[in-house]
């Protein structure tokens, strides 16, 4: 049923609203850009943009829920599913949480389980086009099963951590997990 598709407290809108912690996002030089994976992993790894694109074979269509109460249906993301990245970097058993680090300084953290989700993807295309600058060019982490602030734009690195360290919005009161189906908007601590 259509209404079961919308988490409590949300309403549908047609396009995602851009939210950024900075006014201007610098242009990215793709020739020097690297996406890094580090921390508690057996195989730390870095990928150039070209390497990323040559590995990008996955596509996910998912709804996108923002904690400010809007939701957008059926956004199509193309790139590499995060579960495939995990097969390559091999998280150590200590790896319990992940911090996404972004080029302009934004960070967000979440439990590692969310990277095993079938719908979680590192995306370089959105709705069939290269991701527009303000939606996260060159690469964005997309975790459709969490509120949109966990979907880190302008991604620079994923850090595998043995404990929960709060990111930008988590330090300002947002939930450490942020499951829209449980309305985990704010944290209690
Ligand atoms: N790097 C980065 N990623 C970010 C943000 C940000 O400020 N910087 N904002 C987050 C927030 S609060 C939301 S709601 C979504 C918004 O995604 P959109 O701008 O593509 O609509 O991006 C998230 N990812
Ligand atoms: Mo947000």
């Amino acid at each position: 049923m259509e209404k079961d598709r919308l988490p409590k407290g949300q309403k549908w809108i047609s396009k995602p609203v851009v939210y950024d912690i900075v006014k201007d996002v610098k242009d990215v030089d793709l020739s020097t850009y690297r996406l890094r994976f580090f921390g508690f992993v057996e195989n730390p790894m870095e990928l150039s943009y070209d390497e990323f694109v040559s590995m990008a074979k996955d596509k996910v269509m998912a709804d996108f829920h923002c904690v400010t109460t809007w939701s957008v249906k059926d956004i199509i993301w193309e790139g590499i599913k995060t579960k495939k990245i995990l097969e390559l970097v091999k998280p150590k058993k200590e790896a319990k949480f992940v911090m996404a680090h972004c080029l302009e300084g934004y960070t967000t953290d979440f439990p590692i389980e969310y990277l095993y989700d079938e719908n979680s993807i590192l995306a370089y295309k959105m709705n069939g086009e290269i991701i527009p600058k303000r939606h996260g060019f060159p690469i964005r982490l997309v975790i459709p099963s969490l509120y949109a602030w966990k979907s880190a734009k302008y991604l620079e690195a994923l850090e595998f951590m043995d404990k929960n360290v709060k990111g930008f919005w988590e330090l300002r009161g947002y939930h450490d997990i942020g499951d829209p189906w449980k309305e985990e908007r704010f944290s209690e601590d």
Side-chain angles (χ1 to χ4, degrees):
M1 219 163 65
E2 187 70 358
K3 92 173 185 342
D4 296 331
R5 197 174 156 179
L6 189 63
K8 196 163 158 271
Q10 298 294 110
K11 56 185 181 304
W12 293 117
I13 63 169
S14 62
K15 281 200 308 241
V17 180
V18 170
Y19 286 117
D20 275 307
I21 59 164
V22 296
K23 210 156 95 248
D24 292 303
V25 180
K26 282 205 216 83
D27 285 336
V28 179
D29 178 355
L30 290 183
S31 68
T32 55
Y33 172 81
R34 296 288 182 275
L35 180 58
R36 294 184 303 125
F37 304 90
F38 70 102
F40 286 93
V41 288
E42 300 292 344
N43 299 321
M45 178 170 88
E46 55 172 67
L47 296 175
S48 69
Y49 185 75
D50 290 346
E51 286 166 337
F52 181 93
V53 170
S54 70
M55 291 165 66
K57 308 267 186 273
D58 297 323
K59 198 187 233 185
V60 162
M61 182 164 84
D63 299 342
F64 198 55
H65 307 293
C66 175
V67 72
T68 60
T69 75
W70 54 260
S71 293
V72 174
K73 280 182 196 169
D74 290 339
I75 301 185
I76 297 167
W77 305 100
E78 286 168 73
I80 306 175
K81 286 192 182 188
T82 55
K83 64 171 194 181
K84 289 198 186 153
I85 295 289
L86 296 178
E87 285 169 19
L88 297 172
V89 302
K90 299 190 175 24
K92 294 184 176 167
K93 63 174 184 333
E94 294 96 317
K96 298 279 188 318
F97 295 89
V98 176
M99 183 72 85
H101 296 270
C102 306
L103 293 168
E104 94 291 27
Y106 183 77
T107 51
T108 186
D109 65 290
F110 48 85
I112 193 173
E113 291 82 78
Y114 288 92
L115 295 186
Y116 290 96
D117 258 26
E118 203 48 53
N119 280 339
S120 295
I121 187 166
L122 294 170
Y124 77 111
K125 285 190 178 178
M126 176 185 188
N127 292 330
E129 291 170 10
I130 295 295
I131 291 198
K133 185 172 173 195
R134 295 315 290 259
H135 287 298
F137 180 85
I139 294 171
R140 176 177 201 162
L141 170 66
V142 181
I143 304 181
S145 58
L146 296 177
Y147 283 122
W149 88 83
K150 303 284 179 178
S151 287
K153 304 190 279 190
Y154 333 113
L155 188 67
E156 192 201 358
L158 292 180
E159 177 183 3
F160 294 80
M161 310 185 296
D162 59 350
K163 56 181 185 298
N164 186 20
V165 179
K166 289 177 189 283
F168 184 90
W169 286 119
E170 293 80 13
L171 282 168
R172 290 160 178 81
Y174 282 49
H175 202 278
D176 291 330
I177 302 179
D179 181 342
W181 299 99
K182 298 182 185 155
E183 275 207 278
E184 290 172 340
R185 297 174 191 271
F186 306 106
S187 75
E188 259 96 69
D189 55 23

